[in-house]
Amino acid sequence: MQNMMAQAQKMQQKMQEEVAQIRVEGSSGGGMVTIKMDGHKNVVGVKIDPEVAGDTEMLQDLVLAACNEAAKKVDEETKNKMAGMLGGLGLPPGLF
Protein backbone atom coordinates (compact mmCIF):
# COMPACT_ATOMS: atom_id res chain seq x y z
CA MET A 1 0.00 0.00 0.00
CA GLN A 2 2.82 2.37 0.90
CA ASN A 3 4.52 1.65 -2.42
CA MET A 4 1.30 2.45 -4.25
CA MET A 5 0.97 5.77 -2.38
CA ALA A 6 4.56 6.71 -3.27
CA GLN A 7 3.86 5.88 -6.91
CA ALA A 8 0.70 8.00 -6.85
CA GLN A 9 2.61 10.90 -5.33
CA LYS A 10 5.27 10.66 -8.06
CA MET A 11 2.57 10.65 -10.71
CA GLN A 12 0.90 13.68 -9.16
CA GLN A 13 4.19 15.58 -9.20
CA LYS A 14 4.83 14.60 -12.81
CA MET A 15 1.32 15.68 -13.73
CA GLN A 16 1.87 19.10 -12.15
CA GLU A 17 5.06 19.47 -14.18
CA GLU A 18 3.23 18.46 -17.36
CA VAL A 19 0.40 20.92 -16.71
CA ALA A 20 2.91 23.72 -16.09
CA GLN A 21 4.29 23.15 -19.60
CA ILE A 22 0.93 23.62 -21.34
CA ARG A 23 0.65 26.73 -23.53
CA VAL A 24 -2.47 27.47 -25.58
CA GLU A 25 -3.96 30.33 -27.57
CA GLY A 26 -7.59 31.29 -27.78
CA SER A 27 -8.80 33.81 -30.31
CA SER A 28 -12.01 35.53 -31.31
CA GLY A 29 -13.25 37.89 -33.97
CA GLY A 30 -11.28 36.09 -36.67
CA GLY A 31 -8.05 36.68 -34.78
CA MET A 32 -8.76 40.26 -33.75
CA VAL A 33 -8.15 39.26 -30.13
CA THR A 34 -5.75 36.49 -29.12
CA ILE A 35 -5.17 35.32 -25.55
CA LYS A 36 -2.19 33.14 -24.56
CA MET A 37 -2.71 31.02 -21.46
CA ASP A 38 -0.59 28.57 -19.47
CA GLY A 39 -1.65 25.26 -17.98
CA HIS A 40 -2.74 26.90 -14.73
CA LYS A 41 -5.10 29.20 -16.68
CA ASN A 42 -2.93 32.26 -16.12
CA VAL A 43 -3.12 34.71 -19.02
CA VAL A 44 0.44 35.18 -20.23
CA GLY A 45 -0.19 37.26 -23.34
CA VAL A 46 -2.82 39.39 -25.05
CA LYS A 47 -2.86 40.60 -28.65
CA ILE A 48 -5.51 43.09 -29.79
CA ASP A 49 -5.93 44.28 -33.35
CA PRO A 50 -5.95 48.10 -33.33
CA GLU A 51 -9.03 48.02 -35.57
CA VAL A 52 -11.25 46.85 -32.67
CA ALA A 53 -9.59 48.92 -29.95
CA GLY A 54 -12.01 51.83 -30.43
CA ASP A 55 -15.20 49.84 -29.82
CA THR A 56 -15.08 49.12 -26.08
CA GLU A 57 -18.17 46.93 -25.93
CA MET A 58 -17.10 44.75 -28.83
CA LEU A 59 -13.55 44.55 -27.45
CA GLN A 60 -14.87 43.34 -24.09
CA ASP A 61 -16.90 40.63 -25.81
CA LEU A 62 -13.95 39.53 -27.93
CA VAL A 63 -11.57 39.36 -24.95
CA LEU A 64 -14.12 37.34 -22.97
CA ALA A 65 -14.65 34.91 -25.85
CA ALA A 66 -10.90 34.49 -26.42
CA CYS A 67 -10.30 33.84 -22.70
CA ASN A 68 -13.07 31.25 -22.59
CA GLU A 69 -11.68 29.51 -25.67
CA ALA A 70 -8.17 29.43 -24.20
CA ALA A 71 -9.47 28.06 -20.88
CA LYS A 72 -11.35 25.32 -22.75
CA LYS A 73 -8.16 24.39 -24.60
CA VAL A 74 -6.25 24.19 -21.30
CA ASP A 75 -8.92 21.82 -19.95
CA GLU A 76 -8.66 19.64 -23.07
CA GLU A 77 -4.85 19.52 -22.94
CA THR A 78 -4.89 18.69 -19.23
CA LYS A 79 -7.45 15.94 -19.78
CA ASN A 80 -5.36 14.46 -22.61
CA LYS A 81 -2.18 14.50 -20.52
CA MET A 82 -3.96 12.87 -17.57
CA ALA A 83 -5.46 10.19 -19.79
CA GLY A 84 -2.02 9.38 -21.15
CA MET A 85 -0.44 9.16 -17.72
CA LEU A 86 -3.24 7.24 -16.03
CA GLY A 87 -3.91 4.93 -18.96
CA GLY A 88 -1.09 2.57 -18.01
CA LEU A 89 -2.31 2.04 -14.47
CA GLY A 90 -5.31 -0.09 -15.33
CA LEU A 91 -7.69 2.10 -13.35
CA PRO A 92 -11.41 1.97 -14.13
CA PRO A 93 -12.52 4.52 -16.77
CA GLY A 94 -13.98 7.72 -15.39
CA LEU A 95 -12.29 7.38 -12.01
CA PHE A 96 -10.68 10.79 -12.39
Side-chain angles (χ1 to χ4, degrees):
M1 184 67 154
Q2 211 171 23
N3 189 25
M4 212 161 87
M5 292 297 289
Q7 185 180 5
Q9 198 170 29
K10 274 186 179 180
M11 286 189 68
Q12 183 179 14
Q13 183 179 3
K14 180 149 176 63
M15 185 62 197
Q16 289 295 330
E17 291 169 4
E18 293 281 330
V19 167
Q21 298 298 319
I22 293 173
R23 296 288 182 273
V24 299
E25 283 189 7
S27 65
S28 62
M32 294 180 128
V33 173
T34 302
I35 301 291
K36 293 181 182 181
M37 194 173 281
D38 69 15
H40 296 291
K41 295 185 181 177
N42 295 314
V43 175
V44 295
V46 177
K47 180 181 156 206
I48 298 174
D49 187 318
E51 184 178 318
V52 16
D55 186 347
T56 305
E57 191 172 313
M58 183 167 79
L59 180 57
Q60 290 170 340
D61 291 341
L62 291 174
V63 169
L64 180 64
C67 281
N68 287 335
E69 180 184 326
K72 183 178 176 182
K73 286 182 178 182
V74 168
D75 289 341
E76 290 170 1
E77 286 287 321
T78 302
K79 182 179 175 183
N80 289 340
K81 287 191 181 291
M82 278 188 74
M85 289 184 73
L86 297 176
L89 290 179
L91 297 173
L95 184 63
F96 292 99

